Amino acid sequence: MSPSLFCMGNPLLDIQVTQGEKLLEKYDLKANDAVLASGKQLEIYDEIVKDYKVTYVAGGAAQNAARGAAYVLPPNSVVYAGCVGDDDRAKQLTEVNEKQGVQSVYDVRKGGETGACAVVITGHHRSLVTTLHAAEKFDIAHLSTPKVAALIDGAKFFYVGGFFLTHGTASTLELAKKSLAANKTFAINLSAPFIPQFFGDNLKQVLPYCDIVVGNETEAASWAAANNIADTDLSNIALAIANLPRAEGTQRPRTVVITHGDKATHLATTGAAEAKVYSVATLADEQIVDTNGAGDMFAGGFIGALVNGKSLDEAVEVGHRLGAMCVGQVGPQLKWPKETI
Ligand code: 26A
């Protein structure tokens, strides 16, 4: 049986440090943000490896979500594509995926370097500073290689990280169009405020194909601002995204789910009179290790549950459980041995 969920994104190795207040100041970073490193920020990797106690964990937003989905799905349900170098970082990512039930079908750049993300933790915030390296060299031709093409044909759900739109809009559209032609489900994550803000045109091309859109409060606000929507209510923004035009050939409703940390989760469906708001169980301070990857694990749990045939209400619940579990671990990790969700 072919895996039912096909994910695509930027495979990254996270290099995580705690108590990074000085790094935020030095590299001009916001406490809770995701950026592509530029200028002086490119020095952060050498500095943290030299001067801080770093933890290496498998990252890449869509890859985290793929592992999240695999956590709640039967074996051999999830496959993940992205571009890596032929280096130790790629080996580590492949091993983690394999252990956690995700089949990696990487586009491998000979002599290339796998991307990295410096994760700067301060309190409950996380600042992500990424250098994509090979990840942005993903070749659309990879999707037509016999092995990958067969996996795409066999999949029923697709999930692409919005982060991929900084370089991979053509590949995303190819997947999205295949999904539509075969009446499958296509999901995207808004990923970071800078995606709607600076890659809004790319996002606009892809959104008509999206049956599911996942994001958080800062991404929703950025999407609203970029689209001249003054309303800051997350339920209303979710509804606005849900009601954006669909691609020709589909009448399907779109589902938009916007998380807001431990405050609430908002879910809107095309044509609905109002969004549904779900409460989130608050974790005690001592249960929180860090928030890196929590949104991805929510997304993975949510999508995984839908692939499993669960209702939207149940899928939100599964997302909440995985998000909370991730917050209790270092970086984008879940509990092993596996807990029943
Ligand atoms: C293009 N950018 C900036 C990125 C990322 C990214 N994944 C893909 N593309 N910047 C950070 N991440 C990942 O997000 C996870 C937390 O949600 C990090 O690797 C981290 O694991």
Side-chain angles (χ1 to χ4, degrees):
M1 274 280 281
S2 204
S4 36
L5 175 62
F6 185 101
C7 304
M8 182 166 76
N10 300 319
L12 305 175
L13 186 68
D14 285 359
I15 311 172
Q16 189 164 317
V17 300
T18 53
Q19 296 171 318
E21 285 79 1
K22 282 200 185 113
L23 292 168
L24 295 186
E25 201 178 315
K26 178 166 179 189
Y27 292 103
D28 198 17
L29 303 167
K30 290 186 204 146
N32 234 340
D33 202 7
V35 297
L36 283 169
S38 65
K40 195 176 110 152
Q41 290 169 339
L42 288 161
E43 293 165 20
I44 194 170
Y45 308 96
D46 284 344
E47 171 166 356
I48 58 176
V49 168
K50 194 160 77 54
D51 296 338
Y52 283 75
K53 186 176 164 285
V54 299
T55 309
Y56 294 94
V57 272
Q63 187 166 240
N64 298 337
R67 286 185 282 107
Y71 200 86
V72 300
L73 283 164
N76 305 316
S77 293
V78 186
V79 57
Y80 172 82
C83 187
V84 295
D86 53 353
D87 53 7
D88 283 345
R89 285 180 185 167
K91 248 185 244 148
Q92 184 174 343
L93 296 181
T94 310
E95 275 169 23
V96 171
N97 281 347
E98 202 170 292
K99 275 197 195 128
Q100 301 185 14
V102 174
Q103 181 186 348
S104 312
V105 281
Y106 290 138
D107 181 8
V108 182
R109 285 284 153 282
K110 286 243 152 52
E113 191 182 344
T114 300
C117 177
V119 180
V120 180
I121 304 288
T122 52
H124 295 166
H125 300 302
R126 95 285 181 264
S127 197
L128 309 167
V129 190
T130 293
T131 174
L132 289 171
H133 293 298
E136 63 183 340
K137 304 281 189 285
F138 186 91
D139 188 346
I140 191 167
H142 188 61
L143 300 177
S144 306
T145 54
K147 182 175 177 184
V148 179
L151 288 165
I152 293 171
D153 281 346
K156 294 188 177 59
F157 272 72
F158 299 93
Y159 176 89
V160 180
F163 278 131
F164 204 72
L165 299 177
T166 68
H167 61 89
T169 306
S171 301
T172 307
L173 280 171
E174 177 158 318
L175 218 50
K177 287 176 183 172
K178 284 197 170 154
S179 174
L180 174 61
N183 196 25
K184 296 172 176 177
T185 304
F186 189 83
I188 199 158
N189 196 306
L190 296 175
S191 291
F194 86 86
I195 297 294
Q197 192 181 5
F198 298 122
F199 295 90
D201 287 344
N202 301 2
L203 187 59
K204 264 195 194 103
Q205 290 178 60
V206 173
L207 277 175
Y209 297 93
C210 297
D211 303 298
I212 297 173
V213 178
V214 187
N216 69 20
E217 78 281 13
T218 60
E219 295 147 18
S222 160
W223 180 84
N227 288 277
N228 302 314
I229 293 173
D231 202 333
T232 54
D233 180 271
L234 293 176
S235 282
N236 290 341
I237 298 173
L239 272 172
I241 299 174
N243 288 321
L244 290 173
R246 300 296 330 243
E248 210 172 305
T250 180
Q251 304 299 324
R252 281 219 226 174
R254 177 187 290 125
T255 299
V256 180
V257 57
I258 303 293
T259 58
H260 188 188
D262 64 0
K263 308 269 185 310
T265 297
H266 304 250
L267 184 141
T269 305
T270 311
E274 53 186 32
K276 251 182 132 164
V277 182
Y278 301 83
S279 59
V280 181
T282 310
L283 295 176
D285 242 26
E286 60 272 17
Q287 293 174 292
I288 301 177
V289 177
D290 67 66
T291 54
N292 179 24
D296 302 329
M297 291 308 179
F298 169 87
F302 179 75
I303 299 287
L306 293 180
V307 172
N308 251 338
K310 305 283 186 201
S311 69
L312 288 170
D313 290 347
E314 289 168 317
V316 169
E317 183 56 37
V318 172
H320 284 167
R321 289 206 205 116
L322 284 203
M325 190 193 285
C326 175
V327 164
Q329 324 296 312
V330 174
Q333 303 194 85
L334 296 169
K335 279 191 193 164
W336 293 88
K338 231 190 232 194
E339 284 191 351
T340 324
I341 293 294

